[in-house]
Amino acid sequence: MSHPPSPTPLTSDPTPGNAAKTAAVIEVTAKGLKAGSIGIGPTVALGLAAVAPAYSLAVTLGFVVLAVGASTPAAFLLGFVPILFTALAFRDLNKEMPDCGGVFVWITRAFGPTAGWFLGGWVPQMATFIAGAAVAQVATTYLLTFFGLAAIAAQPLAVAAIACGLIVLSAWIAARGIELSAWVQYALIGLQLVALGGFCVAGFAAMATGNSGEGAEKPGLEWFNPFASGDMSGLVSGVILCLFIYWGWDALIAVNEETTDRKGTPGTAVVITTVILLFFYVMTATAAVGFAGTVSITDPETVSDVLSVLGPQATGDVFGQVIVLAVGLSALAALLTVAVSTPRTWLSMGTYGALPKATTKMHPRRGTPTTSIAWWALITIAITLGLTAISADFIGLAILSVGLMIAAYYAATALASVLYFLPLMRSSASALLLKGILPGLGALLMIGAFTYSAVDMLSPEYAGKSWLGIGAVFWIGIGALAAGLLVTAILRTKLRRFFSGETIPRGNVTTRHELSSILNNETEA
């Protein structure tokens, strides 16, 4: 195993004495990753796989329909707005600071090490750990069902044991190299898009030939009007569900140092990924509602697993089983993406002194953070077994709480972009719009989603479980955030170089005019 060199502090101090450092515009410390290993295609595949579109639609679409009815396509369109604005922030920040630590580095740069460690480190990592444990079990359940082993899928201990095996498999693939991981994701995401596309074609064909389900209606323009339902409360609930169904695309930022153009490729991939998701989500929602109707979709037997129920009805038993397989492999693909992205975040944090040095150990030939990957697998297995031991449905409650964490770190990233690029906003109207107004609106919408969700989760009726008269999901989500604040406070006394701002000092970008003046003054001197 080899260790990367000690980190060179990031700086953009706009003073003549630091002009040389400023001109470098935040060059990233070498970490041992294999630069130039993947291009735009594999990067987009990793981003799509992290979202798990087939699984996300299967388990969420019914609840969106329950909230907004036939306006479900509009909810997906409206929910995409803050996602797009946030994606612009990710694109611009990656271009300026292409580090595999992503939000950890960016938030630290804009708001300081305490905010960076908590909002850029703890919060997204807790979200991915909970989600990782959930998708491991989901993949197990669906794959067992596909192979006719539903009796085993009903045994929590058996499911947990097989899920742990899938976690180990994902870690092994991730450790073998980014190229293998990318090709596996190509296959897995390809099957998902084929399955979703086949469902859409079958659904629209049924509508065209009059073979839709009883009570179904043909799509109209009002389906794409967010305010056609007249139920603002339902619309807000539906949009919040849609916000979180898009979550995961930012995982591709973790491989930015291994792409062919680390400043350009990941940012472009972020935008492409979110647009692809929008297309498939809106088309699938329209096909599902038009084929089956809102009453059928919200039936208790269908609402929590729409694609597995409607898929065979729309496409026939054979292709319907392909859809079931795609949902299971969708969850497995998301698990593999977490095995790739999370250890790279730890690698960055360790490089800058925000985690122990052991997290920076790399495989000398494969260019993968093998020590961090091993720790990821062990922690995810422990969480999976722990949650299973507490309650068979505890993971379901925990995954609902992830929404709070997503909204928190997405909002922080968008605000970090606004603050970091603040000096550039006077340079042009486009800079003001793309680097200021739109990311700022994205942050406000995410903060609104966080607040609305937190208040909603306070209700003892939320998700059907409560502790001390407050919804259990609220306790889990707020509890995870509170624990993060405590851990951050403790680590401030342990990781002094990072928390003193020595490795990643605060600061924002200088304008081109200021940078040119600094460099000219340096040359004249």
Side-chain angles (χ1 to χ4, degrees):
M1 297 294 185
S2 60
H3 290 272
S6 297
T8 301
L10 301 178
T11 181
S12 66
D13 185 2
T15 61
N18 285 316
K21 292 180 180 179
T22 305
V25 191
I26 309 175
E27 287 300 322
V28 180
T29 302
K31 303 180 183 68
L33 297 168
K34 294 175 66 176
S37 297
I38 57 174
I40 187 70
T43 307
V44 170
L46 286 168
L48 289 172
V51 178
Y55 163 65
S56 298
L57 277 170
V59 300
T60 310
L61 179 58
F63 295 103
V64 179
V65 175
L66 195 62
V68 297
S71 298
T72 295
F76 278 108
L77 287 169
L78 193 60
F80 177 72
V81 173
I83 292 295
L84 177 61
F85 293 168
T86 306
L88 293 175
F90 274 79
R91 181 197 63 181
D92 291 338
L93 286 168
N94 179 80
K95 186 175 183 179
E96 193 70 20
M97 296 174 278
D99 192 289
C100 65
V103 296
F104 157 70
V105 171
W106 304 337
I107 296 173
T108 302
R109 183 71 180 161
F111 297 115
T114 299
W117 206 97
F118 174 62
L119 289 168
W122 175 271
V123 173
Q125 294 306 305
M126 283 300 298
T128 53
F129 269 126
I130 293 173
V135 296
Q137 289 203 340
V138 168
T140 300
T141 302
Y142 273 89
L143 293 177
L144 287 173
T145 302
F146 174 78
F147 289 110
L149 301 172
I152 298 177
Q155 302 296 321
L157 290 180
V159 170
I162 298 172
C164 291
L166 293 180
I167 292 168
V168 172
L169 174 63
S170 299
W172 180 81
I173 294 173
R176 298 292 296 179
I178 188 63
E179 299 93 340
L180 176 61
S181 299
W183 280 108
V184 171
Q185 294 291 32
Y186 257 140
L188 295 179
I189 196 63
L191 177 62
Q192 291 181 65
L193 297 185
V194 167
L196 292 178
F199 175 77
C200 290
V201 170
F204 284 118
M207 283 184 269
T209 58
N211 293 322
S212 299
E214 185 178 351
E217 301 177 11
K218 288 189 176 182
L221 291 178
E222 67 275 7
W223 287 19
F224 304 92
N225 178 3
F227 308 104
S229 67
D231 180 5
M232 288 305 299
S233 177
L235 177 64
V236 173
S237 298
V239 169
I240 288 174
L241 285 168
C242 291
L243 282 179
F244 304 138
I245 202 176
Y246 285 105
W247 174 56
W249 49 265
D250 51 300
L252 66 85
I253 293 295
V255 300
N256 54 11
E257 296 186 46
E258 296 155 275
T259 59
T260 50
D261 174 12
R262 69 184 190 186
K263 292 188 176 182
T265 297
T268 302
V270 161
V271 177
I272 292 174
T273 299
T274 53
V275 171
I276 290 174
L277 290 171
L278 171 68
F279 174 78
F280 275 95
Y281 284 173
V282 172
M283 294 297 289
T284 304
T286 305
V289 176
F291 169 72
T294 58
V295 174
S296 295
I297 292 176
T298 54
D299 183 271
E301 298 295 324
T302 306
V303 68
S304 62
D305 195 356
V306 171
L307 291 183
S308 295
V309 175
L310 296 186
Q313 296 177 15
T315 64
D317 290 337
V318 175
F319 198 85
Q321 287 302 302
V322 172
I323 294 176
V324 174
L325 177 62
V327 174
L329 292 180
S330 174
L332 181 59
L335 181 65
L336 174 56
T337 305
V338 174
V340 170
S341 62
T342 297
R344 282 162 173 76
T345 300
W346 293 358
L347 170 62
S348 179
M349 294 178 74
T351 300
Y352 295 113
L355 282 178
K357 193 70 173 178
T359 56
T360 65
K361 289 183 179 180
M362 300 289 292
H363 192 285
R365 180 167 54 86
R366 295 174 184 150
T368 54
T370 48
T371 298
S372 290
I373 291 173
W375 274 108
W376 168 82
L378 289 172
I379 294 173
T380 305
I381 288 173
I383 291 174
T384 300
L385 295 176
L387 295 183
T388 302
I390 293 172
S391 172
D393 61 356
F394 188 85
I395 285 183
L397 297 175
I399 201 68
L400 288 173
S401 71
V402 166
L404 292 177
M405 304 174 208
I406 299 167
Y409 85 85
Y410 272 7
T413 304
L415 289 174
S417 178
V418 173
L419 181 60
Y420 184 80
F421 291 109
L422 189 61
L424 285 177
M425 293 178 197
R426 296 189 299 269
S427 62
S428 68
S430 63
L432 176 63
L433 178 65
L434 297 177
K435 299 185 189 310
I437 295 175
L438 296 185
L441 286 174
L444 290 176
L445 290 171
M446 291 296 175
I447 292 171
F450 178 95
T451 304
Y452 184 92
S453 296
V455 171
D456 201 26
M457 291 173 184
L458 280 168
S459 170
E461 285 79 30
Y462 190 89
K465 286 189 178 294
S466 64
W467 299 327
L468 302 177
I470 295 176
V473 174
F474 178 88
W475 286 113
I476 297 169
I478 298 300
L481 295 176
L485 291 173
L486 178 61
V487 171
T488 304
I490 294 172
L491 290 179
R492 283 182 60 87
T493 64
K494 307 293 184 181
L495 305 170
R496 295 185 183 277
R497 287 193 67 211
F498 171 74
F499 280 100
S500 68
E502 180 181 341
T503 57
I504 308 180
R506 288 186 62 178
N508 55 16
V509 71
T510 58
T511 63
R512 292 185 179 86
H513 174 73
E514 290 170 330
L515 180 57
S516 177
S517 298
I518 292 169
L519 295 178
N520 288 337
N521 291 336
E522 187 81 353
T523 301
E524 292 173 1

